[in-house]
Amino acid sequence: MNRFNYIALSACVALSVSSCDDSFDVSSKADGVLAVSQEGFNTLQSYNVGEKYTADLWIQQGGLKSTASVVSFSVDKALLDSMNAADGTSYELLPADCYQLTKGTVDIPADERLLKGELTYDPAKIQQLSGYDHLKYVLPLRATSNGMPLVPGRSALLLGFKVSEPIVTIMNAGVEEINLADVKELPVQIGVPFTNKWEITCRLENRQSVIDAYNTANGTYFSMLPSDAYVVPETPVLQSGVNQVTATYKLKDDILPGNYMLPVQIAEVTSDATIRADKDTYAAYSIIKEGDKLSKTDWKIVSFTTEEPSGEGSNNGHAKHLIDGNAETFWHSRWQGGSDPLPYEIIIDMNHRVKIAQVELLPRGWGSNNPIKVVRFEASEDGNNWESIGQFGFTNQDAALKYYVKSSTARYIKLVIPDGVGNGTVAAIRELDVRGTVINLSLIHI
């Protein structure tokens, strides 16, 4: 327990005893003392909004026997020199034109326990000298008392000054996964870290580059949530005196199956103050809507690079068994009489335009020799121009593997067992299924 707290505790004990015995003499017990409340090094955070800031210099009074006192604050550079020497720092003395001790002398009546002095400083001037978010200057203050003594070690105050650029930012930054069964509103919280005295209008935007960067970093294949899948909120405005506002995107009920993301950023802000939009921070919502498993009755194999026509029996091992709907049969790469070189490709005509949401593979499993490591899917409208919709890991398990591919509209889908990623020439898959929505229910003939 430090000395000041001990004195305060002693004062409480003495006061308790005195209340029981009016003849108890406290004149020589627990004399009044003073102390700087935030003694030591303190960093003052401010924002360059074109206004000066005020810092409170708090003083505490303790003890039973107190008298009126006067506390004065003054700059003591020796305090700064001592701290730099002890900590190996190189802080500089805050220039005199950056601040003013607007209340450097404090009258303390005998019956007051907590009072304060005041320091006014100019963030704009400090920023010009030190830049943003760089603590370069310190103001060392020493408190002296005319009256009650200051507690030893509780009379020094060193104030560091850190000035930040005033920005409007997304407060609930990050990516949140949404379950459409439970959530229909996507709130985006917009705010400022300083006291807002202006009307700040914010324009929001949704950037594809955010999704691209997220997909690259996380190995995902999210697509931008279509604009017709939600209702855009009104332009958010931070009114004077308001530090945070919420803009809510409302999801519609008829969202097509797919794997989507809605990233929201601040594009620009307008106000009477010099305030910048934080264009790097974003709130994003990932939305996975699973599609129904599509019928394969009119699907057909367009081409393949390998199959096993005889080694797996007369009715097994062929490419057509990848889409026959029979979990007891499977496609297998050729092995009888030698293997075909990688990569392996199988192109399937789904005979409809399909909004592809997810793709499923049912491995051969059952403890078979099936060392596939990686698979890739491609989609095409015409069978000639192909778009990669995802590359994923593969496990030879008994249950189906579900892949959240890039949502796309296509008639053709291609399964690729690529080379150079650890795959061997042995490959076997029981079924390939697509989850999604048929866009055109009428057959397409070629």
Side-chain angles (χ1 to χ4, degrees), residues 308-318 330-333 335 364:
E308 179 47 54
S310 58
E312 300 295 343
S314 59
N315 193 27
N316 211 348
H318 301 88
F330 53 86
W331 160 78
H332 200 294
S333 59
W335 58 268
R364 183 180 180 183

Side-chain angles (χ1 to χ4, degrees), residues 404-426:
Y404 297 97
V405 297
K406 178 182 178 182
S407 300
S408 57
T409 300
R411 172 177 167 175
Y412 301 87
I413 187 167
K414 181 194 296 184
L415 168 66
V416 181
I417 313 295
D419 194 10
V421 289
N423 289 328
T425 56
V426 177

